[in-house]
Amino acid sequence: MTAVKTTKAEPLFTTADWNFEVLQRTYDAIEEVAVKDLELNVYANQVEIISSEQMLDAYSSIGMPLMYQHWSFGKHFVNDEVSYRKGLRGLAYEIVINSDPCISYNMEENTMAQQTLVMAHAAFGHNHFFKNNHLFRQWTDAEGILDYLNFAKGYIAKCEERHGVHEVERILDAAHALMNNGVFRYRRPQKLSLKAEQEKEKERRDYEERTVNYLWQTVYSGPEGQKSEAQKEAEERKHTLRLPEENILYFLEQYSPILQIWQREILRIVRNIAQYFYPQRQTKVMNEGCACFVHYHIVNTLQQRGLLSDGAMLEILHNHSNVLFQPSFDDPRYSGFNPYALGYAMMEDIKRICLDPTEEDRAWLPEIAGKKDWKGAIKDAWANYRDESFIQQYLSPKVIRDFRMFAISDYAKDSHVTVSSIHNERGYGEVREKLAQNYDVAVIDPDIQIVDVDLLGDRQLKLRHYKRNGVSLDQKERDKVLALLRTLWGYGVLLEEVDAPPPRH
Amino acid sequence: MANFIDRRLNPKDKSLGNRRRFLRRVRKHIKKAVDASVRERGISDVDQGERISVPAEGITEPVFRRARDAGHRDYVFNGNKEYRSGDRIAKPEQGGGGSGKEGSDSGEGEDDFVFALSREEFLDIFFEDLELPDLIKHSLKEVQTFKPRRAGYSVSGSPTNINVGRTMRNSLGRRLALRRPNQKEVRELQEQIFKLEAVSTPTSKQKKDLIRLHKELEETLRRQKVIAYIDPLDVRYNYFQQQPQPNANAVMFCLMDTSASMGEREKDLAKRFFVLLHLFLKRRYNKIDVVFIRHTHNAQEVDEEAFFYSRETGGTVVSTALKEMLEVIDARYPPSEWNIYAAQASDGENFAGDTDTCVELLNAEVMKRCQYFAYIEILDEAELKLFQGEENGMELWRGYRRVKEDWANFAMKRIASPSDIYPVFRQLFAKKMSGAA
């Protein structure tokens, strides 16, 4: 740290215990740094203090404060609880929700130093990222999400009352299996609005009620062949126009021949939630990197201003380095790259390149090297990239060397893997490329599309999986998912796996 | 400016519903585990809760994911120490796969899924398909005791049930609406008249006023009379509905032979049997009384301590215990109010000739009053082998077999070791028996 003019002030707190007054005071000091110094642009904050039991509750419902009920959440809860009670792992210090106002949950067990860290990390780091990153801006509705979840919870509870828990569970099981395939990757989903949502739902129900006429149910509707050939073809074309469709849940919601209206609504709910989480999956490294960078900057500034005691600072640094711990690949604790570590290292690296570039940096990252405005550069990165493109753009040779990265090429049928490149002059480019790919959802998620369906014939639904690099689907799970898919479609389902056309670079 | 909210006092256990759904989902596996653990552990520790391991198979959440054993992929790792590009590394044995990333995103492996059941949940499953025999008799629809329950108001009823508040509110509303003159108005008029009448030499105006006031008073009084203060229309009665009241009291009679022939082992077995029965009843009834009757050649009601731990000398006359039980029932537990259960434990010996008395007592008196009568005969391992067949046995056993033929709610079993108790118990209370009853 370079010495800045030190205007020594009283520390914000001196004991580990916290109370709301100290929290507020500390928050204000953090906000001062975040907004005035870092010039972050954040949603209004709402910080909620919860107990560890409540944290466990929140864990199990994928971190959301409101969630409908399903056995799989119970399973996760049981799992989390067991490993927590055993001491296998601690609980997160906080959970933050991409909503407006931005809600973060802080654990009551945190010491005041941890609360400081957590507020800087979540209430400003994550918050800024949520509000500014293009993926979140385009794909999620921060102000609508809590209302929507509330609606979803109420709706599903009502369905359970009306149609039985078991029936609802059946639909949810199947929908959850297809959740990853319930996302629009290319077009922007409609805005969520509670009112519109409720109106839509009511409209559907009203229509259903209005059109019920028991007389008609006794009338034989005749074979479908009564329709004229032209009509038939038109219908077929109309449906075919929408194909191929990658959003399987959307397709089922729209066209499944057997689903009731409420079942379609449930598919829609699951789909909307999947869509909401889609950006988070693509920005793990950046999101955590941004939050870590922000909290590190803020606590250091606070310390320089004399607002943090040395003791508190040491505790914060201890937590900070715990979070950023990155075991090596041969360490038993290794489980891939730690997104906190990688993200934070890259953020700090961008700052370094801006302020103090080497010749190498000038060659690799001419756009930002030596550009004094590091805040602008880093915020530009936060706003306009996702993990894959961020790594592709900003992973510098220095970070590759620091992490001692190496790329492995693995053919499943071989008994050996090959080290294709390491952290040297020749390897930087490839390592960067490969690492970026590992964060690309288009590579991670199998590419499955609905390609054909003969709605007027045998109604068989045809899906196609485009295998990338010959990687097929896990057969056991594939069959299970297909069985569930069949229950939603009601007729035969066929999935073929073909090799993807080579990527065009 | 941040908004701080203290949520710590908000309800926790938000995911209780999820847990319940999850348990229902893995019911089959849990049941198996519970049954196994009941067989293993001591019966007296049964209501402890249990760690359950469920095969992961039943609770997978399948999604489309990429197979690990096909195609080509590239990984990037960190922490290189000695590798140079072009090095070939033998793949580790199956499992590690050299693919940290894949390993982590595949979630839980094929291992069993382990979690803890609470005591409540454990017992629920333990008792799951046991049903009290003859429960049908006291099931809700046939139950004979009713308890009145408030259910709103009605316009008719008995005077004791008048709801004064409601009635007066209606009355007030009606009086206001019809402008019934109140007492105050009358009094004011009367005072004015009184004042005018007191004037010795009234002016003509005063005279006119007096006449007018008299008329007004008359009219007011008339209205007061015509418009009742409380009209029958106003009256509301509390309405009670007769709510069928489940018969929620049970008394459990423990009968045991405490003569010298019953050793520690026999008593211990008997105790476990009683404990289990009690545990079971505790789940079904709000209130359970337990009556301990021990007998040698005569019987007496004792407390639990004496029942299990004091020793007595004397012969064995089983019928005395049954007589004592009948006396207690008649004195304190009328069968119309109590569900009566009896559990008798003995080593099967009885005074010669007394068995017939027992059978007669059971047939004529006891069985009519009891919901259920369970008899266990505690034997040695060797004896148990000896009496393979149901029909063989000592005098008491043979006598009781005759009772069993006549009464479906009479059950008897022989046991020799703690591990026999649970199966016996299951059989005693198995669903099909109550169906047959």
Side-chain angles (χ1 to χ4, degrees):
Chain A
M1 257 161 278
T2 46
V4 188
K5 60 175 167 118
T6 45
T7 48
K8 280 290 171 197
E10 281 291 297
L12 290 162
F13 52 91
T14 48
T15 57
D17 293 337
W18 58 266
N19 59 43
F20 283 98
E21 193 190 324
V22 178
L23 277 183
Q24 185 69 57
R25 191 164 65 212
T26 311
Y27 177 90
D28 292 341
I30 294 173
E31 188 176 35
E32 166 100 14
V33 180
V35 175
K36 295 242 173 76
D37 182 14
L38 270 180
E39 291 155 22
L40 297 183
N41 171 20
V42 293
Y43 294 124
N45 270 305
Q46 179 163 321
V47 181
E48 308 197 352
I49 308 291
I50 60 174
S51 64
S52 54
E53 282 99 337
Q54 289 166 329
M55 184 60 107
L56 273 171
D57 280 345
Y59 259 45
S60 60
S61 48
I62 49 179
M64 301 310 284
L66 289 161
M67 202 64 195
Y68 55 84
Q69 301 205 311
H70 187 250
W71 66 267
S72 65
F73 303 140
K75 171 184 152 188
H76 294 302
F77 180 82
V78 159
N79 205 5
D80 292 334
E81 195 188 18
V82 166
S83 50
Y84 173 60
R85 300 243 183 271
K86 268 195 206 155
L88 279 186
R89 73 151 183 252
L91 293 174
Y93 302 136
E94 45 68 36
I95 285 183
V96 57
I97 291 162
N98 169 26
S99 60
D100 182 13
C102 178
I103 298 177
S104 43
Y105 294 105
N106 293 9
M107 286 250 280
E108 68 167 333
E109 278 90 342
N110 295 348
T111 63
M112 189 55 220
Q114 283 170 326
Q115 301 288 28
T116 310
L117 178 70
V118 161
M119 282 192 288
H121 181 90
F124 290 95
H126 285 306
N127 189 345
H128 172 87
F129 195 81
F130 287 146
K131 190 170 179 187
N132 293 280
N133 184 269
H134 75 292
L135 285 180
F136 289 92
R137 287 163 60 97
Q138 278 183 54
W139 297 79
T140 64
D141 282 305
E143 70 265 36
I145 185 65
L146 289 182
D147 279 348
Y148 185 73
L149 286 176
N150 197 14
F151 158 78
K153 186 180 171 172
Y155 186 81
I156 288 185
K158 235 190 300 161
C159 284
E160 287 185 340
E161 251 167 54
R162 269 191 192 193
H163 308 284
V165 176
H166 186 75
E167 272 303 296
V168 174
E169 189 171 288
R170 203 173 57 84
I171 300 293
L172 279 177
D173 282 356
H176 282 185
L178 294 163
M179 203 161 178
N180 285 344
N181 306 89
V183 175
F184 289 117
R185 291 183 168 79
Y186 304 107
R187 52 183 146 118
R188 201 224 183 276
Q190 292 155 346
K191 268 197 173 250
L192 298 178
S193 138
L194 176 66
K195 226 177 132 206
E197 210 61 50
Q198 275 172 339
E199 266 162 21
K200 190 174 176 126
E201 198 268 312
K202 193 170 174 308
E203 214 171 88
R204 280 182 171 183
R205 212 176 43 220
D206 286 350
Y207 177 77
E208 190 182 15
E209 278 166 9
R210 225 178 20 247
T211 52
V212 155
N213 186 341
Y214 294 106
L215 254 188
W216 290 111
Q217 291 183 356
T218 61
V219 176
Y220 175 59
S221 58
E224 304 224 330
Q226 282 178 352
K227 287 174 185 158
S228 74
E229 283 299 308
Q231 241 179 331
K232 253 166 100 179
E233 267 177 28
E235 269 185 40
E236 207 169 351
R237 252 202 320 280
K238 199 174 122 203
H239 289 308
T240 318
L241 274 178
R242 295 270 186 171
L243 294 174
E245 173 63 64
E246 57 163 359
N247 193 334
I248 299 177
L249 282 183
Y250 173 76
F251 185 85
L252 290 172
E253 178 198 327
Q254 298 295 318
Y255 303 120
S256 167
I258 60 154
L259 289 185
Q260 311 260 326
I261 287 177
W262 63 271
Q263 292 169 323
R264 292 180 204 275
E265 189 70 44
I266 288 182
L267 293 194
R268 194 179 148 77
I269 285 169
V270 173
R271 188 165 71 73
N272 278 331
I273 290 172
Q275 191 79 56
Y276 171 80
F277 281 108
Y278 187 56
Q280 311 221 344
R281 289 177 50 218
Q282 300 180 68
T283 52
K284 270 187 216 154
V285 171
M286 289 192 72
N287 206 338
E288 294 303 347
C290 165
C292 288
F293 181 86
V294 166
H295 82 228
Y296 193 72
H297 182 90
I298 288 176
V299 293
N300 272 311
T301 313
L302 289 180
Q303 203 233 1
Q304 283 160 19
R305 292 181 183 173
L307 294 172
L308 286 181
S309 65
D310 289 348
M313 191 61 193
L314 275 176
E315 190 186 342
I316 288 173
L317 288 178
H318 176 72
N319 281 306
H320 173 79
S321 48
N322 271 353
V323 167
L324 295 187
F325 175 66
Q326 171 68 64
S328 300
F329 76 100
D330 49 1
D331 192 302
R333 290 164 292 181
Y334 179 80
S335 63
F337 275 99
N338 175 354
Y340 293 81
L342 182 62
Y344 175 73
M346 289 181 66
M347 300 305 167
E348 283 293 339
D349 195 51
I350 292 175
K351 183 177 167 188
R352 181 192 61 80
I353 293 170
C354 286
L355 296 176
D356 185 18
T358 61
E359 276 314 303
E360 185 184 51
D361 296 326
R362 289 189 196 281
W364 279 82
L365 289 157
E367 302 87 357
I368 58 166
K371 185 177 159 190
K372 290 296 172 216
D373 177 23
W374 59 270
K375 286 174 196 162
I378 205 164
K379 270 189 280 186
D380 175 60
W382 291 341
N384 298 317
Y385 292 83
R386 57 175 186 156
D387 284 351
E388 176 257 338
S389 55
F390 177 68
I391 289 170
Q392 192 75 267
Q393 180 72 22
Y394 288 104
L395 187 67
S396 75
K398 177 167 185 301
V399 175
I400 295 178
R401 279 196 305 274
D402 288 348
F403 276 85
R404 304 188 71 80
M405 294 183 191
F406 63 107
I408 291 278
S409 163
D410 176 11
Y411 286 89
K413 299 284 172 268
D414 289 356
S415 62
H416 286 73
V417 296
T418 313
V419 178
S420 51
S421 47
I422 64 165
H423 43 89
N424 60 18
E425 198 64 46
R426 258 188 314 149
Y428 294 141
E430 195 189 334
V431 167
R432 188 167 74 175
E433 165 103 26
K434 296 273 161 70
L435 186 63
Q437 263 182 28
N438 282 350
Y439 284 99
D440 187 354
V441 277
V443 175
I444 304 170
D445 291 347
D447 177 9
I448 297 169
Q449 300 174 10
I450 295 174
V451 287
D452 196 12
V453 53
D454 182 6
L455 267 183
L456 301 176
D458 64 2
R459 295 183 170 177
Q460 190 179 54
L461 188 67
K462 292 199 182 74
L463 288 90
R464 188 173 296 154
H465 171 223
Y466 291 98
K467 290 191 283 184
R468 204 178 304 269
N469 295 328
V471 180
S472 53
L473 291 175
D474 183 292
Q475 214 167 341
K476 238 168 88 186
E477 288 211 43
R478 183 194 71 189
D479 293 345
K480 279 187 197 161
V481 179
L482 287 180
L484 289 171
L485 175 54
R486 205 164 290 131
T487 66
L488 293 181
W489 179 247
Y491 296 86
V493 174
L494 187 80
L495 182 126
E496 57 174 0
E497 305 203 36
V498 301
D499 283 316
R504 273 162 291 171
H505 276 296
Chain B
M1 190 58 197
N3 200 1
F4 284 93
I5 298 179
D6 190 350
R7 292 267 187 227
R8 285 172 294 177
L9 294 179
N10 277 27
K12 49 186 186 184
D13 289 337
K14 251 195 207 165
S15 50
L16 210 61
N18 293 328
R19 184 181 171 88
R20 226 171 277 140
R21 285 168 168 74
F22 172 65
L23 289 183
R24 205 190 52 225
R25 182 102 181 174
V26 292
R27 176 130 236 158
K28 200 175 67 198
H29 302 289
I30 294 181
K31 211 162 150 34
K32 223 193 274 167
V34 167
D35 284 354
S37 89
V38 166
R39 233 167 279 130
E40 281 160 22
R41 55 158 88 150
I43 294 285
S44 49
D45 324 317
V46 153
D47 59 339
Q48 292 290 304
E50 166 75 357
R51 296 190 63 74
I52 296 290
S53 155
V54 175
E57 186 54 31
I59 45 169
T60 48
E61 298 164 70
V63 294
F64 287 127
R65 66 170 108 247
R66 298 177 304 163
R68 293 212 215 166
D69 53 358
H72 167 244
R73 57 193 81 202
D74 294 302
Y75 305 112
V76 176
F77 294 102
N78 68 301
N80 180 22
K81 292 179 184 68
E82 67 218 7
Y83 299 138
R84 322 205 128 266
S85 50
D87 283 0
R88 282 161 60 80
I89 310 164
K91 284 186 193 171
E93 288 302 308
Q94 208 53 43
S99 52
K101 173 124 186 62
E102 288 293 292
S104 68
D105 68 21
S106 75
E108 51 275 312
E110 294 299 308
D111 297 343
D112 283 1
F113 190 83
V114 178
F115 62 98
L117 283 182
S118 72
R119 174 183 177 278
E120 284 294 303
E121 290 163 342
F122 183 90
L123 285 180
D124 261 326
I125 290 159
F126 175 51
F127 289 117
E128 191 180 40
D129 52 12
L130 305 175
E131 228 169 69
L132 276 191
D134 258 7
L135 206 61
I136 307 152
K137 180 180 151 198
H138 282 273
S139 69
L140 286 175
K141 56 176 192 244
E142 286 175 58
V143 115
Q144 279 149 23
T145 45
F146 287 89
K147 197 183 170 194
R149 220 186 74 158
R150 284 286 297 274
Y153 306 99
S154 104
V155 290
S156 61
S158 76
T160 48
N161 286 343
I162 284 183
N163 185 309
V164 178
R166 271 293 154 133
T167 304
M168 291 316 289
R169 199 196 297 173
N170 287 344
S171 148
L172 179 65
R174 187 181 44 79
R175 278 181 277 134
L176 287 175
L178 297 179
R179 306 231 176 109
R180 181 184 192 269
N182 56 22
Q183 234 20 65
K184 204 174 138 208
E185 287 172 43
V186 176
R187 214 179 310 123
E188 273 168 12
L189 280 174
Q190 280 171 338
E191 266 166 28
Q192 283 177 28
I193 291 172
F194 186 72
K195 256 189 220 154
L196 285 178
E197 277 174 349
V199 177
S200 48
T201 49
T203 61
S204 62
K205 184 178 173 290
Q206 281 172 328
K207 273 182 195 161
K208 248 189 241 160
D209 277 352
L210 195 61
I211 294 163
R212 183 179 52 83
L213 284 172
H214 269 295
K215 249 188 206 152
E216 259 178 54
L217 181 64
E218 209 174 302
E219 169 68 11
T220 308
L221 287 173
R222 193 189 65 83
R223 281 181 70 89
Q224 228 180 12
K225 212 166 157 191
V226 170
I227 304 169
Y229 187 76
I230 293 179
D231 194 273
L233 270 176
D234 303 332
V235 184
R236 290 291 179 277
Y237 300 88
N238 290 332
Y239 181 59
F240 291 91
Q241 250 173 1
Q242 292 300 319
Q243 186 89 357
Q245 183 80 348
N247 207 346
N249 298 332
V251 56
M252 169 178 160
F253 283 92
C254 301
L255 313 178
M256 187 165 67
D257 177 5
T258 52
S259 64
S261 58
M262 287 286 281
E264 276 308 305
R265 189 189 72 94
E266 283 81 7
K267 281 189 179 175
D268 181 56
L269 281 177
K271 181 176 186 179
R272 283 168 187 245
F273 176 72
F274 294 140
V275 165
L276 209 50
L277 179 59
H278 184 254
L279 206 57
F280 180 57
L281 292 176
K282 205 161 74 183
R283 287 183 43 74
R284 291 293 160 104
Y285 296 101
N286 292 338
K287 183 173 174 236
I288 306 158
D289 277 10
V290 185
V291 177
F292 297 98
I293 297 173
R294 68 174 181 193
H295 70 89
T296 52
H297 59 278
N298 57 18
Q300 65 190 123
E301 188 188 343
V302 292
D303 62 14
E304 186 172 357
E305 188 68 22
F307 185 72
F308 285 114
Y309 299 111
S310 81
R311 299 202 116 195
E312 280 185 302
T313 51
T316 309
V317 184
V318 175
S319 61
T320 56
L322 296 176
K323 278 180 196 148
E324 174 74 19
M325 177 178 161
L326 283 174
E327 271 167 36
V328 175
I329 290 176
D330 290 341
R332 308 205 307 255
Y333 301 106
S336 58
E337 287 168 29
W338 292 81
N339 291 290
I340 297 172
Y341 290 80
Q344 185 185 6
S346 146
D347 56 2
E349 280 165 19
N350 197 7
F351 183 69
D354 183 53
T355 300
D356 287 337
T357 323
C358 290
V359 171
E360 215 164 282
L361 266 176
L362 282 169
N363 277 333
E365 304 282 345
V366 177
M367 292 312 295
K368 275 186 216 158
R369 292 173 168 78
C370 283
Q371 293 276 326
Y372 199 79
F373 193 106
Y375 170 68
I376 54 164
E377 190 167 297
I378 302 165
L379 301 175
D380 288 341
E381 301 274 1
E383 284 177 311
L384 191 66
K385 280 214 184 89
L386 199 67
F387 295 126
Q388 280 285 327
E390 280 278 298
E391 60 277 359
N392 301 323
M394 295 201 238
E395 199 190 337
L396 194 59
W397 180 264
R398 289 202 302 273
Y400 274 12
R401 272 182 55 79
R402 300 210 301 275
V403 183
K404 192 184 173 189
E405 277 162 21
D406 293 341
W407 298 90
N409 54 346
F410 184 90
M412 53 198 290
K413 266 277 154 287
R414 288 187 177 118
I415 63 170
S417 72
S419 63
D420 288 342
I421 294 178
Y422 178 58
V424 167
F425 184 75
R426 292 293 304 257
Q427 229 172 319
L428 285 179
F429 294 95
K431 261 184 179 165
K432 60 178 189 307
M433 292 196 67
S434 80

